Amino acid sequence: MSQQHQEKGTWRPLVLATTVFLFGIASGLGLHGQRVERTQRRLTLDNEEAARQYAFLAQRQLDAYASTGLSLAAHIGTSNAISDATVNAYVDSARHFERLKGIRAYGYLPRLAPELADEFEHRVQADMPGYHIRGKRPRADFYYPVLYLADPDPARAAIVRGIDFSIFPERLAAIRKALATGAPAATRVHASVHDFAKIPVVLTFTPVRTADRHVDRGVGAGVVFSVMRVAELFEGIDNGKLTRAFALAVHEQDGPARRLVYASDNDAFRQADADPAHVVYATTLRFTDRTWHMRILSKPSGRSADAFGDWPWLTATLLASLIAAFGTYRLALRQRDRRIRSEMAQRFEVLLDSHPFAVYAADRAGNFVFVNRKMQQELGLSQQQLIGASSTLFMAPSSQAVAGAAFRKALHGEALAYHASVHNGHGAEVDLAVVLVPVIVAGQVDRVLGFAENVTERKRFERELHESREMLRLILDTIPDRVFWKDRESRFIGANRHMVDAAGLPSAERIVGLTDADMPWMGAAAHYQDEDREILASGRSLLNMQRPQTTEDGEVRWFDVSKLPLTDDAGTVAGVLGIVRDITQHKRMEEELTRRANHDSLTGLPNRAFFHSQLNHAIVRAQRRRTGMALMYFDIDRFKQINDTHGHDAGDQVIRLFADRVCANLRASDFVARLGGDEFVLIVEDMAEPDVARHLAGKLLASMEEPLAIDGQALRISTSIGIAVFDGTMTASQLIKAADDAMYEAKRGGRNCFRPLAR
Ligand SMILES: Nc1nc2c(ncn2[C@@H]2O[C@H](COP(=O)(O)OP(=O)(O)OP(=O)(O)O)[C@@H](O)[C@H]2O)c(=O)[nH]1
């Protein structure tokens, strides 16, 4: 921000505050003048409501008068009789008239034709002695004498007076109107006729219909009347509160002359006409057939405002202006800060809007106050839908706790990162890596900025990679081979379970970094590392190398080892993959097969095939070493007879025992083989002289002298031996033939002897 900006920003609050102070003082003084008036107006408003209520009460009271007259008329209409009892009943039933404020008297005026007046008087006198109708008008159509009269004043108890009400024109007009309309009618306000004080009254007449045969049926038997003092009526409303608080003026509304019905005082009456502004409330009151205009006026307060005498007000004004000025100063400062912040926020928002990450800002309550375009894309919702919404609203249930905890920490000023899953507007789950940064303003975290990277794809890839690694590990651990892989320095990087077991390690992790020198086969480590180096250098595999290995128990086991180069993405050899298969079992089977192929199953001695290869080797050795070598051919004499006499099994036993006796006489270097049947051959090497062969043949002959024990029987056998001594040039066939021929010589010579060296 520029220097000019700062100065402008600093002065502005001061100028504003001073203006507010001066304006406050001026307004305070100005307002003071209006205060009284305002107070008055307020009072007026209050009063208007009160006046409205008073008017309502007045109307209710008037309605009560009218309805009481109607109910009394109904009573007389149903029980038209003349007796003390009926008078008493009438008085009792009419008691409720007495509760009405201002009722002076009420009673019944029968409608009486003049020609029936005498009869009527006579009939009434029977029950009420002395009854006499006074004031009868000459030539009148009807008389309206008082028959019943009641007075709420205890001093003026119920009396019966025979005065004819129709002598008063005012009353006669109202009576006629009531009878003509069938509804209550009232006189205008007039002075009481008999009262000395001439108090203004209104008389109400309510028509009575009766079935009496002395009066016109259906027209009206007469009227119920009541005398009401209007002043008492209005002053009695709300127990006189009305006339204490207000001035009241009521006028008759019908007719050109506005006759005054009631005025609470002369001033009020005059004021109402002179200054309508004093009228708080004006309304019309309906009373039977009459309409009254009522005006309720405010009474003058009598107080006047003193502009400079009201020190508390002025002090308050000064104080208020000072407070307002101070408040304005603070507010202006805050607004300036807010404006600066808002400008900065706007700049930030422009920057953040194009940020490659989803960026948002949340207020202290966790509601979004800003979301950038990427954020809207990630959640699939518009800015309008997101602003104001709770940031936890979109969290997957599994992430709510971690996200909530992170947000609370951020509110304490901590910047932190976490992973969370959210549900976007399309219902899909999105994995986010979120970094929360608290935005601190005036020492307090104002809002929290969130930077969220969509890691859904990455997490899916990691998950798949993990799964495929797990699968690979499972496969590697399942196959019976040992598998390992090494780096360029021949250090193990990994191995399967069999390899780890063979290495005597507790887990696959422990093999990482070790070399063959750390393994139980450390003696072969140098050799193995040479192989590794060769593969790393050449890039070629070394396949199916079979090698024995002696275990810690001393057992020799055979392994088939293949080593292959491991290449990296660039095709460079980066390590060695080794697959080691334990072929001990296979090896043993192979040896067994070889042994079986080269040995005779009956005696366990080498067979003919083995003999031939051995003979060739012996010839080569004899020639090379120039040592003596002889071949002996021999069989059991007359073996056929043994078979024939003792059976083939016994023959087999003889062959086995014969072979044992032969072997018992041989040196380790001698090679004996069974050619088949009872035929055997013996290769004698490294002979110092030809006599060695003769000597050996003699030993063999002698060894047969002891009878064999066959099936509990002693069996004598002998052998005939043909000896051929290698002359240094003979082939194997020549040597065999010479030995064979010599053996036949021995046979011919009588058996149990050897040829040709026998002497
Ligand atoms: N029990 C048994 N007999 C065999 C076996 N192989 C061959 N033979 C018999 O061995 C006998 C060999 O007889 P020869 O060698 O021809 O005659 P010999 O009776 O031994 O008489 P000389 O050799 O002239 O002394 C034959 O009867 C064969 O059937 C064998 O594995 N077991």
Side-chain angles (χ1 to χ4, degrees), residues 147-170:
L147 179 60
Y148 307 144
L149 177 72
D151 197 312
D153 184 352
R156 297 155 61 94
I159 53 168
V160 179
R161 293 191 301 186
I163 190 164
D164 178 9
F165 260 50
S166 64
I167 57 171
F168 309 105
E170 179 92 48

PDB file of all heavy atoms in Angstrom, residues 147-170:
ATOM      1  N   LEU A 147     -97.749   2.444  34.660  1.00  0.00           N
ATOM      2  CA  LEU A 147     -98.386   1.392  35.472  1.00  0.00           C
ATOM      3  C   LEU A 147     -97.379   0.884  36.512  1.00  0.00           C
ATOM      4  O   LEU A 147     -97.675   0.804  37.690  1.00  0.00           O
ATOM      5  CB  LEU A 147     -98.859   0.260  34.575  1.00  0.00           C
ATOM      6  CG  LEU A 147     -99.522  -0.906  35.295  1.00  0.00           C
ATOM      7  CD1 LEU A 147    -100.766  -0.445  36.069  1.00  0.00           C
ATOM      8  CD2 LEU A 147     -99.926  -1.997  34.296  1.00  0.00           C
ATOM      9  N   TYR A 148     -96.241   0.556  36.076  1.00  0.00           N
ATOM     10  CA  TYR A 148     -95.190   0.151  37.028  1.00  0.00           C
ATOM     11  C   TYR A 148     -94.081   1.162  36.915  1.00  0.00           C
ATOM     12  O   TYR A 148     -93.682   1.543  35.825  1.00  0.00           O
ATOM     13  CB  TYR A 148     -94.571  -1.198  36.672  1.00  0.00           C
ATOM     14  CG  TYR A 148     -95.534  -2.329  36.470  1.00  0.00           C
ATOM     15  CD1 TYR A 148     -95.297  -3.296  35.506  1.00  0.00           C
ATOM     16  CD2 TYR A 148     -96.672  -2.455  37.296  1.00  0.00           C
ATOM     17  CE1 TYR A 148     -96.150  -4.360  35.326  1.00  0.00           C
ATOM     18  CE2 TYR A 148     -97.549  -3.526  37.101  1.00  0.00           C
ATOM     19  CZ  TYR A 148     -97.283  -4.466  36.126  1.00  0.00           C
ATOM     20  OH  TYR A 148     -98.115  -5.508  35.935  1.00  0.00           O
ATOM     21  N   LEU A 149     -93.533   1.536  38.032  1.00  0.00           N
ATOM     22  CA  LEU A 149     -92.365   2.422  38.006  1.00  0.00           C
ATOM     23  C   LEU A 149     -91.389   1.915  39.057  1.00  0.00           C
ATOM     24  O   LEU A 149     -91.795   1.620  40.177  1.00  0.00           O
ATOM     25  CB  LEU A 149     -92.763   3.870  38.327  1.00  0.00           C
ATOM     26  CG  LEU A 149     -91.586   4.846  38.380  1.00  0.00           C
ATOM     27  CD1 LEU A 149     -91.027   5.122  36.984  1.00  0.00           C
ATOM     28  CD2 LEU A 149     -92.009   6.170  39.018  1.00  0.00           C
ATOM     29  N   ALA A 150     -90.205   1.784  38.711  1.00  0.00           N
ATOM     30  CA  ALA A 150     -89.175   1.364  39.682  1.00  0.00           C
ATOM     31  C   ALA A 150     -88.065   2.394  39.672  1.00  0.00           C
ATOM     32  O   ALA A 150     -87.858   3.087  38.670  1.00  0.00           O
ATOM     33  CB  ALA A 150     -88.626   0.006  39.295  1.00  0.00           C
ATOM     34  N   ASP A 151     -87.372   2.490  40.808  1.00  0.00           N
ATOM     35  CA  ASP A 151     -86.285   3.465  40.913  1.00  0.00           C
ATOM     36  C   ASP A 151     -85.144   2.810  41.673  1.00  0.00           C
ATOM     37  O   ASP A 151     -85.354   2.244  42.740  1.00  0.00           O
ATOM     38  CB  ASP A 151     -86.777   4.699  41.668  1.00  0.00           C
ATOM     39  CG  ASP A 151     -85.835   5.864  41.433  1.00  0.00           C
ATOM     40  OD1 ASP A 151     -84.596   5.655  41.559  1.00  0.00           O
ATOM     41  OD2 ASP A 151     -86.321   6.960  41.097  1.00  0.00           O
ATOM     42  N   PRO A 152     -83.915   2.821  41.113  1.00  0.00           N
ATOM     43  CA  PRO A 152     -82.794   2.180  41.811  1.00  0.00           C
ATOM     44  C   PRO A 152     -82.502   2.850  43.155  1.00  0.00           C
ATOM     45  O   PRO A 152     -81.882   2.233  44.016  1.00  0.00           O
ATOM     46  CB  PRO A 152     -81.624   2.363  40.851  1.00  0.00           C
ATOM     47  CG  PRO A 152     -82.243   2.663  39.533  1.00  0.00           C
ATOM     48  CD  PRO A 152     -83.511   3.396  39.837  1.00  0.00           C
ATOM     49  N   ASP A 153     -82.898   4.088  43.325  1.00  0.00           N
ATOM     50  CA  ASP A 153     -82.633   4.772  44.595  1.00  0.00           C
ATOM     51  C   ASP A 153     -83.519   4.169  45.688  1.00  0.00           C
ATOM     52  O   ASP A 153     -84.747   4.206  45.593  1.00  0.00           O
ATOM     53  CB  ASP A 153     -82.955   6.268  44.416  1.00  0.00           C
ATOM     54  CG  ASP A 153     -82.608   7.066  45.674  1.00  0.00           C
ATOM     55  OD1 ASP A 153     -82.268   6.410  46.693  1.00  0.00           O
ATOM     56  OD2 ASP A 153     -82.684   8.297  45.623  1.00  0.00           O
ATOM     57  N   PRO A 154     -82.910   3.576  46.734  1.00  0.00           N
ATOM     58  CA  PRO A 154     -83.716   2.919  47.769  1.00  0.00           C
ATOM     59  C   PRO A 154     -84.722   3.888  48.422  1.00  0.00           C
ATOM     60  O   PRO A 154     -85.787   3.468  48.836  1.00  0.00           O
ATOM     61  CB  PRO A 154     -82.674   2.440  48.783  1.00  0.00           C
ATOM     62  CG  PRO A 154     -81.366   2.528  48.108  1.00  0.00           C
ATOM     63  CD  PRO A 154     -81.478   3.562  47.044  1.00  0.00           C
ATOM     64  N   ALA A 155     -84.318   5.150  48.410  1.00  0.00           N
ATOM     65  CA  ALA A 155     -85.197   6.133  49.047  1.00  0.00           C
ATOM     66  C   ALA A 155     -86.478   6.336  48.228  1.00  0.00           C
ATOM     67  O   ALA A 155     -87.494   6.766  48.734  1.00  0.00           O
ATOM     68  CB  ALA A 155     -84.480   7.462  49.208  1.00  0.00           C
ATOM     69  N   ARG A 156     -86.362   6.015  46.942  1.00  0.00           N
ATOM     70  CA  ARG A 156     -87.531   6.190  46.074  1.00  0.00           C
ATOM     71  C   ARG A 156     -87.971   4.806  45.608  1.00  0.00           C
ATOM     72  O   ARG A 156     -87.808   4.423  44.469  1.00  0.00           O
ATOM     73  CB  ARG A 156     -87.149   7.041  44.862  1.00  0.00           C
ATOM     74  CG  ARG A 156     -86.717   8.466  45.239  1.00  0.00           C
ATOM     75  CD  ARG A 156     -85.810   9.038  44.174  1.00  0.00           C
ATOM     76  NE  ARG A 156     -86.496   9.111  42.892  1.00  0.00           N
ATOM     77  CZ  ARG A 156     -87.126  10.189  42.448  1.00  0.00           C
ATOM     78  NH1 ARG A 156     -87.157  11.295  43.170  1.00  0.00           N
ATOM     79  NH2 ARG A 156     -87.716  10.183  41.280  1.00  0.00           N
ATOM     80  N   ALA A 157     -88.565   4.072  46.536  1.00  0.00           N
ATOM     81  CA  ALA A 157     -88.933   2.692  46.262  1.00  0.00           C
ATOM     82  C   ALA A 157     -89.959   2.625  45.152  1.00  0.00           C
ATOM     83  O   ALA A 157     -90.505   3.638  44.726  1.00  0.00           O
ATOM     84  CB  ALA A 157     -89.491   2.061  47.535  1.00  0.00           C
ATOM     85  N   ALA A 158     -90.225   1.380  44.717  1.00  0.00           N
ATOM     86  CA  ALA A 158     -91.135   1.180  43.589  1.00  0.00           C
ATOM     87  C   ALA A 158     -92.502   1.790  43.890  1.00  0.00           C
ATOM     88  O   ALA A 158     -93.067   1.607  44.970  1.00  0.00           O
ATOM     89  CB  ALA A 158     -91.274  -0.307  43.332  1.00  0.00           C
ATOM     90  N   ILE A 159     -93.005   2.555  42.967  1.00  0.00           N
ATOM     91  CA  ILE A 159     -94.310   3.174  43.134  1.00  0.00           C
ATOM     92  C   ILE A 159     -95.122   2.986  41.863  1.00  0.00           C
ATOM     93  O   ILE A 159     -94.564   2.642  40.820  1.00  0.00           O
ATOM     94  CB  ILE A 159     -94.196   4.691  43.438  1.00  0.00           C
ATOM     95  CG1 ILE A 159     -93.321   5.368  42.377  1.00  0.00           C
ATOM     96  CG2 ILE A 159     -93.695   4.950  44.846  1.00  0.00           C
ATOM     97  CD1 ILE A 159     -93.391   6.876  42.437  1.00  0.00           C
ATOM     98  N   VAL A 160     -96.379   3.183  41.981  1.00  0.00           N
ATOM     99  CA  VAL A 160     -97.246   3.137  40.810  1.00  0.00           C
ATOM    100  C   VAL A 160     -97.879   4.517  40.667  1.00  0.00           C
ATOM    101  O   VAL A 160     -98.502   5.021  41.590  1.00  0.00           O
ATOM    102  CB  VAL A 160     -98.347   2.070  40.973  1.00  0.00           C
ATOM    103  CG1 VAL A 160     -99.258   2.057  39.760  1.00  0.00           C
ATOM    104  CG2 VAL A 160     -97.743   0.713  41.218  1.00  0.00           C
ATOM    105  N   ARG A 161     -97.626   5.121  39.544  1.00  0.00           N
ATOM    106  CA  ARG A 161     -98.173   6.456  39.337  1.00  0.00           C
ATOM    107  C   ARG A 161     -98.971   6.458  38.040  1.00  0.00           C
ATOM    108  O   ARG A 161     -98.538   5.869  37.064  1.00  0.00           O
ATOM    109  CB  ARG A 161     -97.038   7.481  39.241  1.00  0.00           C
ATOM    110  CG  ARG A 161     -96.298   7.626  40.566  1.00  0.00           C
ATOM    111  CD  ARG A 161     -95.390   8.802  40.539  1.00  0.00           C
ATOM    112  NE  ARG A 161     -94.408   8.692  39.459  1.00  0.00           N
ATOM    113  CZ  ARG A 161     -93.420   9.566  39.315  1.00  0.00           C
ATOM    114  NH1 ARG A 161     -93.315  10.589  40.132  1.00  0.00           N
ATOM    115  NH2 ARG A 161     -92.578   9.425  38.342  1.00  0.00           N
ATOM    116  N   GLY A 162    -100.066   7.132  38.056  1.00  0.00           N
ATOM    117  CA  GLY A 162    -100.936   7.086  36.882  1.00  0.00           C
ATOM    118  C   GLY A 162    -100.715   8.199  35.897  1.00  0.00           C
ATOM    119  O   GLY A 162    -101.530   8.427  35.014  1.00  0.00           O
ATOM    120  N   ILE A 163     -99.583   8.871  35.921  1.00  0.00           N
ATOM    121  CA  ILE A 163     -99.378   9.995  34.997  1.00  0.00           C
ATOM    122  C   ILE A 163     -99.258   9.518  33.547  1.00  0.00           C
ATOM    123  O   ILE A 163     -98.600   8.511  33.263  1.00  0.00           O
ATOM    124  CB  ILE A 163     -98.159  10.835  35.420  1.00  0.00           C
ATOM    125  CG1 ILE A 163     -98.110  12.117  34.601  1.00  0.00           C
ATOM    126  CG2 ILE A 163     -96.872  10.044  35.273  1.00  0.00           C
ATOM    127  CD1 ILE A 163     -97.194  13.170  35.179  1.00  0.00           C
ATOM    128  N   ASP A 164     -99.893  10.208  32.666  1.00  0.00           N
ATOM    129  CA  ASP A 164     -99.863   9.854  31.242  1.00  0.00           C
ATOM    130  C   ASP A 164     -98.630  10.483  30.597  1.00  0.00           C
ATOM    131  O   ASP A 164     -98.516  11.697  30.521  1.00  0.00           O
ATOM    132  CB  ASP A 164    -101.153  10.384  30.577  1.00  0.00           C
ATOM    133  CG  ASP A 164    -101.170  10.100  29.085  1.00  0.00           C
ATOM    134  OD1 ASP A 164    -100.259   9.347  28.614  1.00  0.00           O
ATOM    135  OD2 ASP A 164    -102.041  10.631  28.390  1.00  0.00           O
ATOM    136  N   PHE A 165     -97.706   9.601  30.172  1.00  0.00           N
ATOM    137  CA  PHE A 165     -96.427  10.074  29.617  1.00  0.00           C
ATOM    138  C   PHE A 165     -96.608  10.840  28.311  1.00  0.00           C
ATOM    139  O   PHE A 165     -95.740  11.588  27.903  1.00  0.00           O
ATOM    140  CB  PHE A 165     -95.479   8.869  29.376  1.00  0.00           C
ATOM    141  CG  PHE A 165     -94.459   8.702  30.465  1.00  0.00           C
ATOM    142  CD1 PHE A 165     -94.866   8.696  31.809  1.00  0.00           C
ATOM    143  CD2 PHE A 165     -93.113   8.584  30.173  1.00  0.00           C
ATOM    144  CE1 PHE A 165     -93.932   8.543  32.797  1.00  0.00           C
ATOM    145  CE2 PHE A 165     -92.167   8.431  31.166  1.00  0.00           C
ATOM    146  CZ  PHE A 165     -92.570   8.408  32.495  1.00  0.00           C
ATOM    147  N   SER A 166     -97.738  10.620  27.664  1.00  0.00           N
ATOM    148  CA  SER A 166     -97.895  11.229  26.339  1.00  0.00           C
ATOM    149  C   SER A 166     -98.179  12.721  26.402  1.00  0.00           C
ATOM    150  O   SER A 166     -98.295  13.378  25.376  1.00  0.00           O
ATOM    151  CB  SER A 166     -98.995  10.519  25.559  1.00  0.00           C
ATOM    152  OG  SER A 166    -100.238  10.693  26.206  1.00  0.00           O
ATOM    153  N   ILE A 167     -98.258  13.255  27.632  1.00  0.00           N
ATOM    154  CA  ILE A 167     -98.459  14.698  27.716  1.00  0.00           C
ATOM    155  C   ILE A 167     -97.180  15.455  27.351  1.00  0.00           C
ATOM    156  O   ILE A 167     -97.204  16.643  27.075  1.00  0.00           O
ATOM    157  CB  ILE A 167     -98.964  15.139  29.115  1.00  0.00           C
ATOM    158  CG1 ILE A 167     -97.976  14.683  30.181  1.00  0.00           C
ATOM    159  CG2 ILE A 167    -100.385  14.685  29.395  1.00  0.00           C
ATOM    160  CD1 ILE A 167     -98.270  15.246  31.573  1.00  0.00           C
ATOM    161  N   PHE A 168     -96.061  14.734  27.347  1.00  0.00           N
ATOM    162  CA  PHE A 168     -94.801  15.383  26.958  1.00  0.00           C
ATOM    163  C   PHE A 168     -94.545  15.075  25.480  1.00  0.00           C
ATOM    164  O   PHE A 168     -94.373  13.885  25.124  1.00  0.00           O
ATOM    165  CB  PHE A 168     -93.619  14.861  27.783  1.00  0.00           C
ATOM    166  CG  PHE A 168     -93.879  14.915  29.267  1.00  0.00           C
ATOM    167  CD1 PHE A 168     -94.166  13.770  29.990  1.00  0.00           C
ATOM    168  CD2 PHE A 168     -93.852  16.151  29.934  1.00  0.00           C
ATOM    169  CE1 PHE A 168     -94.407  13.837  31.344  1.00  0.00           C
ATOM    170  CE2 PHE A 168     -94.095  16.188  31.308  1.00  0.00           C
ATOM    171  CZ  PHE A 168     -94.376  15.048  32.016  1.00  0.00           C
ATOM    172  N   PRO A 169     -94.580  16.067  24.629  1.00  0.00           N
ATOM    173  CA  PRO A 169     -94.469  15.805  23.177  1.00  0.00           C
ATOM    174  C   PRO A 169     -93.195  15.027  22.797  1.00  0.00           C
ATOM    175  O   PRO A 169     -93.212  14.133  21.953  1.00  0.00           O
ATOM    176  CB  PRO A 169     -94.425  17.219  22.586  1.00  0.00           C
ATOM    177  CG  PRO A 169     -94.994  18.116  23.638  1.00  0.00           C
ATOM    178  CD  PRO A 169     -94.730  17.510  24.965  1.00  0.00           C
ATOM    179  N   GLU A 170     -92.131  15.384  23.469  1.00  0.00           N
ATOM    180  CA  GLU A 170     -90.832  14.711  23.204  1.00  0.00           C
ATOM    181  C   GLU A 170     -90.987  13.202  23.382  1.00  0.00           C
ATOM    182  O   GLU A 170     -90.522  12.400  22.568  1.00  0.00           O
ATOM    183  CB  GLU A 170     -89.802  15.257  24.209  1.00  0.00           C
ATOM    184  CG  GLU A 170     -88.440  14.662  24.089  1.00  0.00           C
ATOM    185  CD  GLU A 170     -87.578  15.493  23.163  1.00  0.00           C
ATOM    186  OE1 GLU A 170     -87.538  16.730  23.319  1.00  0.00           O
ATOM    187  OE2 GLU A 170     -86.938  14.895  22.263  1.00  0.00           O
TER     188      GLU A 170
END
